[in-house]
Amino acid sequence: MQNGFSAFHVLREGVRLHGRVGGKGAPLLLLHGHPQTLAIWHRVAPLLAERFTLVMMDLRGYGDSDRPAADAAHLAYSKREMARDAMAVMRSHGFERFQVLAHDRGARVAHRLAMDHPHAVERLMLLDIAPTLAMYEQTSDAFARAYWHWFFLIQPPPLPEALIESDPARYVRSVMGSRHAGLRPFAPDALAEYERCAAIAGTARGICEDYRASATIDLEHDRADIAAGLKLGQPLRVLWGEHGAVGRCFDVLSLWRERAEGVSGAALACGHYIPEEASDALAEEALQFFV
């Protein structure tokens, strides 16, 4: 997938990061979510490549990027560490300042990236998330039922890993197919790519550690920002699916306005997987928002 975009690999502190780059114009970093890969952008990327140089990367633990070992504090999969990966990837292409479009887990990385590296991130668009700390603190019965994997994946090893590894394709299809539109939005080639990468050794560990970090060390980092009175200063656009759990369970705009200075946003006529369910609408939003 992603024809017309060149593959690259960047080595950062022993972790090999995979991605694809192409297009022309201002640099725009694209970050995917769980349990997916950079293939989520296969419909959106061609619509943006005429105006932007797109850098699409697989997060550590996902896709064809490395799956580093776990540690007791989950630091290796903290969003701070993943944000450093993103900085290394962009600098490897000569970009010190750039914009960010990110979905789901990638949007949580983008939030930390913009907080920790405000000099680098010019503006950002986050897809179908509310701030991580708020989502944990305001968990309801409805949210827990819709986002059951948030609470399954953070259980101590090795049980979640073992269950995922017993049938990785079933895990991918169960998580993605349980949302608003089922598996219909996903192109067969994209779904096959998600299943291929889920079966790579270490993926289950990487996925679980990503979520364990979000429920522990990432919350510490978020609480430290709040205690210090820090907010995102960049223009922030948030989009969510009108048929998704995030918009139903949380006041997305209000929560982001607690964490950022300049926020706008809207619901799109889709569910959680905006890049694949509403690619044309997302591309239009991106072309209007990014400069």
Side-chain angles (χ1 to χ4, degrees), residues 160-172:
E161 289 90 337
L163 293 175
I164 294 170
E165 289 169 349
S166 70
D167 194 340
R170 184 177 184 179
Y171 174 75
V172 168

Side-chain angles (χ1 to χ4, degrees), residues 178-201:
S178 65
R179 305 292 182 104
H180 160 67
L183 293 173
R184 292 190 305 277
F186 307 109
D189 287 352
L191 188 58
E193 180 69 358
Y194 306 145
E195 293 176 351
R196 177 187 72 82
C197 292
I200 296 173

Side-chain angles (χ1 to χ4, degrees), residues 38 46 59 73 122 133 179 184 198 205 224-225 233 236 286:
L38 62 78
L59 301 175
E122 295 178 308
L133 179 59
R179 305 292 182 104
R184 292 190 305 277
R205 179 189 66 240
D225 290 341
L236 169 62

Side-chain angles (χ1 to χ4, degrees), residues 95-137:
F95 302 131
E96 292 291 337
R97 284 180 59 78
F98 49 89
Q99 303 175 99
V100 186
L101 170 60
H103 176 248
D104 190 67
R105 309 307 294 175
R108 302 187 192 285
V109 176
H111 178 200
R112 178 50 51 194
L113 176 63
M115 288 297 303
D116 287 0
H117 306 276
H119 59 284
V121 177
E122 295 178 308
R123 55 177 55 209
L124 63 164
M125 178 179 287
L126 306 182
L127 305 179
D128 213 54
I129 71 164
T132 306
L133 179 59
M135 291 178 72
Y136 272 115
E137 289 183 338

